[in-house]
Amino acid sequence: MIEHIIIGLTIHEPLTGYDIKKKIETGIGNFVKASHGSLYPALKKLTGKGFLTMEELPQGNRIKKYYQATEAGKEAFLEWLTSPVDPNAVTLNVLSKVFFFNDLPDDQRQQLIQTYELHIQQILDAYKKMEQELTMTKEEEKDYYGTSTLYYGLQATQGMLRWLKYIKGQKPLTEFIKEED
Amino acid sequence: MIEHIIIGLTIHEPLTGYDIKKKIETGIGNFVKASHGSLYPALKKLTGKGFLTMEELPQGNRIKKYYQATEAGKEAFLEWLTSPVDPNAVTLNVLSKVFFFNDLPDDQRQQLIQTYELHIQQILDAYKKMEQELTMTKEEEKDYYGTSTLYYGLQATQGMLRWLKYIKGQKPLTEFIKEED
DNA sequence: TCCCTCATGTAAGTAGTTACATGATTTC
DNA sequence: GAAATCATGTAACTACTTACATGAGGGA
């Protein structure tokens, strides 16, 4: 996960490990965390694989290491970006990928969002089926709070679907949280 | 994480590792996953700590191992249930705990949900602040999709808050996903 | 001068997953 | 008698986190 994020962030500009950490914290960091204990080893690993270049630039009395994505790195990144989402972490995966969608041509974005929608719709259908089964067995009366988490899932999944439909049309974001339809 | 879930599930009835896995898949499994490669070692570990008892019951030609929470196990479980949520995985943590809230007296539930609300409200405020900053710098025009993930976060956080307020009053769940207020 | 931010790294530990390995029981 | 499900376990690996460790640069 973090390796792909790193490449994605260094495609357009060379960054130090420290820069990358800051960028993650202020951007994608709302859902992806990167301790520097995972970041620095990942930079080494990616450089070793040929997915990043590293340039040492002396700044006064110290040396800063600037990393940038190579062609091979970009390829690996795009492969990840356009590959199916991890079914064990759908939301995290969709968000992480959409975060970088400006790097894709519009037709490809539309196509990917379409597959996400289908995927999320299936999850929603599964939730709805579970809900109907629980309603029939009056599970709610026996275990209100256990059942309540299913309803959270239902709501969150509906929210994800609504968001996907919204961004597919690149509708103005400032209106997203107000709109009711 | 999985250790607390295991204790929580074996408080009211003895279960085999296999049973526990099934229970997770059909209940809390909407957001918690347990591979049996993590489950069986956890059962051993918990038994070693004195948090579970294990009883071998021969069933025909094979022996089934039934695990159940001990008093010490219940204590450790309740300590987890009532401790602050992990800030690095708030949603997962809140859901995992609420799943077991039937095991708590109502006043304690109310109190815990109250602290969750405050916590989530703070996250929501942080999102709103970010949104205002981005709106001012016209970030959306530069990076529509990167910005869109912030709006997903805003919506999801609002949804969590609405859900918490709803279940605090133990309002009927079947109406939760329809209601608009 | 002190503290905060910038800046890079390693070591030990945590919490899992995936794949390997085996065998009983039930259902068709 | 074959296939699905029940049932338990280990080994190697993955992807982290937390704590340790160090030091430069800038601002009050």
Side-chain angles (χ1 to χ4, degrees):
Chain A
M1 183 84 230
I2 199 184
E3 296 191 13
H4 298 117
I5 309 292
I6 290 172
I7 303 176
L9 291 172
T10 56
I11 282 178
H12 302 297
E13 51 182 342
L15 295 170
T16 68
Y18 194 84
D19 293 337
I20 292 169
K21 191 152 188 295
K22 286 277 141 173
K23 272 225 159 192
I24 289 174
E25 276 161 14
T26 58
I28 199 171
N30 288 324
F31 45 96
V32 168
K33 310 290 163 194
S35 63
H36 73 264
S38 65
L39 189 61
Y40 286 101
L43 289 169
K44 276 204 166 174
K45 203 175 160 190
L46 287 168
T47 310
K49 281 197 222 170
F51 289 171
L52 293 181
T53 56
M54 190 270 278
E55 198 181 358
E56 291 184 323
L57 290 184
Q59 309 246 317
N61 219 331
R62 84 175 135 195
I63 293 162
K64 284 208 213 176
K65 295 185 173 180
Y66 281 92
Y67 295 89
Q68 190 158 25
T70 63
E71 275 310 310
K74 283 181 215 174
E75 251 174 65
F77 174 75
L78 284 174
E79 214 265 303
W80 168 75
L81 199 57
T82 55
S83 68
V85 294
D86 175 357
N88 284 313
V90 175
T91 304
L92 175 67
N93 218 244
V94 166
L95 285 170
S96 303
K97 291 184 177 193
V98 169
F99 185 85
F100 292 106
F101 267 20
N102 287 288
D103 292 336
L104 288 179
D106 196 57
D107 57 337
Q108 208 163 1
R109 282 198 289 248
Q110 301 272 329
Q111 198 194 302
L112 285 169
I113 294 176
Q114 186 85 34
T115 63
Y116 297 164
E117 278 182 40
L118 286 170
H119 203 99
I120 306 290
Q121 184 63 55
Q122 278 170 26
I123 294 171
L124 186 59
D125 291 344
Y127 272 125
K128 282 182 177 168
K129 203 180 153 195
M130 275 184 257
E131 194 227 342
Q132 275 173 3
E133 279 161 20
L134 289 188
T135 308
M136 281 192 292
T137 58
K138 310 252 184 194
E139 189 64 37
E140 180 184 336
E141 290 161 33
K142 280 179 270 171
D143 182 13
Y144 179 85
Y145 286 99
T147 309
S148 76
T149 63
L150 169 73
Y151 284 83
Y152 176 82
L154 255 170
Q155 180 202 234
T157 308
Q158 280 176 343
M160 170 112 258
L161 208 52
R162 187 178 151 252
W163 178 72
L164 285 172
K165 286 178 196 298
Y166 201 89
I167 62 169
K168 193 169 66 174
Q170 283 203 44
K171 294 183 193 167
L173 294 171
T174 41
E175 282 162 39
F176 173 65
I177 42 167
K178 294 158 200 160
E179 188 191 324
E180 291 295 321
D181 61 277
Chain B
M1 183 82 230
I2 199 183
E3 295 191 14
H4 299 117
I5 308 293
I6 290 172
I7 303 176
L9 290 173
T10 56
I11 283 180
H12 303 297
E13 51 181 344
L15 295 170
T16 68
Y18 195 85
D19 292 337
I20 292 168
K21 189 153 189 294
K22 286 277 141 171
K23 271 224 158 189
I24 290 175
E25 277 162 13
T26 58
I28 198 172
N30 288 324
F31 45 96
V32 168
K33 310 290 164 192
S35 63
H36 72 264
S38 66
L39 189 61
Y40 285 102
L43 289 170
K44 276 205 168 175
K45 203 175 160 190
L46 287 168
T47 309
K49 281 197 220 169
F51 289 170
L52 293 181
T53 55
M54 190 270 279
E55 197 181 359
E56 291 185 320
L57 290 184
Q59 308 247 318
N61 220 331
R62 86 176 134 194
I63 295 162
K64 284 207 213 177
K65 295 186 173 179
Y66 282 90
Y67 296 88
Q68 189 158 26
T70 62
E71 275 310 310
K74 282 182 215 174
E75 252 175 65
F77 173 74
L78 283 173
E79 213 266 303
W80 167 76
L81 198 56
T82 55
S83 68
V85 295
D86 175 358
N88 285 313
V90 175
T91 304
L92 176 66
N93 219 244
V94 167
L95 285 170
S96 302
K97 291 183 176 193
V98 168
F99 185 83
F100 292 106
F101 266 20
N102 287 289
D103 292 335
L104 287 179
D106 195 57
D107 58 337
Q108 207 163 1
R109 280 198 291 248
Q110 300 273 329
Q111 198 194 303
L112 284 168
I113 294 175
Q114 187 85 34
T115 63
Y116 298 164
E117 278 182 40
L118 286 170
H119 202 100
I120 305 291
Q121 184 62 56
Q122 278 170 27
I123 295 172
L124 185 59
D125 291 344
Y127 271 125
K128 282 181 176 167
K129 204 179 152 196
M130 276 185 255
E131 194 227 340
Q132 274 173 5
E133 279 162 19
L134 288 188
T135 307
M136 281 191 293
T137 58
K138 310 249 184 196
E139 189 64 35
E140 180 184 335
E141 289 161 32
K142 279 180 270 169
D143 183 13
Y144 179 85
Y145 286 99
T147 309
S148 76
T149 61
L150 169 73
Y151 284 83
Y152 176 82
L154 256 169
Q155 180 202 234
T157 308
Q158 281 177 342
M160 170 111 259
L161 207 51
R162 188 178 149 252
W163 178 73
L164 285 172
K165 285 180 197 296
Y166 201 89
I167 62 168
K168 194 167 64 172
Q170 284 203 43
K171 295 184 193 168
L173 294 169
T174 41
E175 280 161 39
F176 173 64
I177 43 167
K178 292 156 200 161
E179 186 190 326
E180 291 294 320
D181 61 281

